[in-house]
Amino acid sequence: MKVIGVIPARYQSSRFPGKPLADLFGKPMIWWVYNQVVKVKEFDKVVVATDDDRIKDVCGSYDIPVVMTSDNHPTHVHRIHEVSEKIHSDFYVVVCGDEPLISVDVIKSALPSADCDVNNFYVGGLCRYMNDPAEVIDPANIKVVTNENDECILLSRAAVPFPYKTILFKYKKVVGVECYNKKSLDFFVATPKGFLENIEDVTLQRFLENKIHIKYKLIDSVSLSVDTPRDLEKVKSIISQSKEKYGI
């Protein structure tokens, strides 16, 4: 079974332009992400997928492999699909380029099991509990609800589920690691946006609205996605408090 790691990285982020190149203690954020992903020995290859020469050039200066993709992709899944057209693999594990604190164990949690059937749809992801109320109300955090089989039944920027009858539960958010096989990627790019995806702009809604299961594994992680400059300051604070752990 062949598995490659893909790190999508866009320069033109609406909330934080240029964030893959944002400085983190003398290194660009994309360097931090790549150096975690490449530690996963199960990957046959790890590449950064970008549409921007500035990111390509910075990656080149650190010997990070790059696949150049179109600058017209409406979602990161389209970008991964283009990678799948250029590099054959049974599965593509996606680690977002804005997760500089992602741990190797967390990335490994997204690996498909040995008995996964590449001929059927496979979409997988990770989620974690939220402990900070600010995370729950932040629409940048995608909330997820799963059933007893770890299958996703709700994805939303809103605080779901709504605590109407009980408060005896914890909110969960999506962690920026996903896994697809080629069949799922092909389906996604051939299928138009649905009603909910158009409203909330939650990319993976496209699978749910077409009755394709997404498996979300619950993990214990302190990882923080950098969606805004404010998030970058949080990451800097976390690294500063554990400099030996992060090698600075």
Side-chain angles (χ1 to χ4, degrees):
M1 181 172 68
K2 184 177 180 181
V3 185
I4 70 168
V6 184
I7 307 169
R10 292 177 60 247
Y11 192 91
Q12 298 298 340
S13 167
S14 59
R15 291 187 294 268
F16 191 175
K19 69 178 178 179
L21 305 184
D23 182 80
L24 267 176
F25 298 95
K27 296 288 197 307
M29 184 161 62
I30 194 68
W31 178 91
W32 287 80
V33 179
Y34 175 80
N35 276 274
Q36 290 302 100
V37 179
V38 79
K39 293 174 185 176
V40 179
K41 301 307 179 185
E42 287 84 354
F43 289 147
D44 293 273
K45 187 180 183 71
V46 177
V47 298
V48 169
T50 188
D51 60 1
D52 193 277
D53 286 334
R54 288 164 289 190
I55 295 175
K56 175 188 175 183
D57 292 343
V58 168
C59 287
S61 69
Y62 289 102
D63 295 321
I64 298 173
V66 172
V67 174
M68 291 300 292
T69 59
S70 169
D71 61 359
N72 293 320
H73 290 313
T75 74
H76 73 285
V77 183
H78 286 83
R79 196 175 310 282
I80 304 308
H81 178 263
E82 184 177 345
V83 173
S84 76
E85 296 284 281
K86 296 178 177 180
I87 305 175
H88 168 74
S89 185
D90 295 310
F91 294 93
Y92 301 84
V93 174
V94 183
V95 182
C96 291
D98 59 5
E99 292 268 355
L101 302 184
I102 199 79
S103 75
V104 174
D105 288 341
V106 165
I107 300 169
K108 285 185 176 183
S109 298
L111 291 169
S113 60
D115 60 354
C116 276
D117 184 357
V118 296
N119 297 312
N120 289 325
F121 290 116
Y122 183 85
V123 184
L126 305 177
C127 62
R128 70 167 175 84
Y129 287 125
M130 289 185 276
N131 299 311
D132 184 349
E135 285 189 301
V136 177
I137 63 173
D138 187 346
N141 292 323
I142 307 300
K143 271 65 77 174
V144 58
V145 180
T146 55
N147 63 19
E148 64 275 8
N149 296 318
D150 295 329
E151 294 168 345
C152 178
I153 55 177
L154 285 175
L155 277 175
S156 180
R157 295 186 184 277
V160 292
F162 186 83
Y164 182 56
K165 289 285 188 176
T166 181
I167 59 171
L168 299 178
F169 67 92
K170 293 182 179 180
Y171 287 101
K172 292 185 285 189
K173 68 167 282 187
V174 170
V175 175
V177 185
E178 300 160 357
C179 182
Y180 305 91
N181 64 355
K182 179 68 168 139
K183 183 173 183 178
S184 298
L185 292 170
D186 288 344
F187 174 86
F188 184 92
V189 300
T191 305
K193 281 186 178 183
F195 177 74
L196 290 176
E197 185 184 352
N198 269 309
I199 292 173
E200 289 207 41
D201 192 28
V202 176
T203 303
L204 269 60
Q205 281 282 12
R206 194 168 310 186
F207 292 113
L208 295 185
E209 291 189 73
N210 289 279
K211 300 181 180 180
I212 293 175
H213 292 305
I214 307 172
K215 282 278 199 176
Y216 273 105
K217 184 175 181 180
L218 181 63
I219 59 166
D220 184 13
S221 170
V222 296
S223 182
L224 174 67
S225 61
V226 177
D227 295 304
T228 65
R230 179 188 61 196
D231 294 331
L232 184 65
E233 293 307 311
K234 291 180 183 178
V235 168
K236 288 179 179 179
S237 176
I238 292 171
I239 294 175
S240 294
Q241 293 169 22
S242 305
K243 289 186 177 181
E244 186 174 338
K245 175 183 176 180
Y246 293 105
I248 65 168

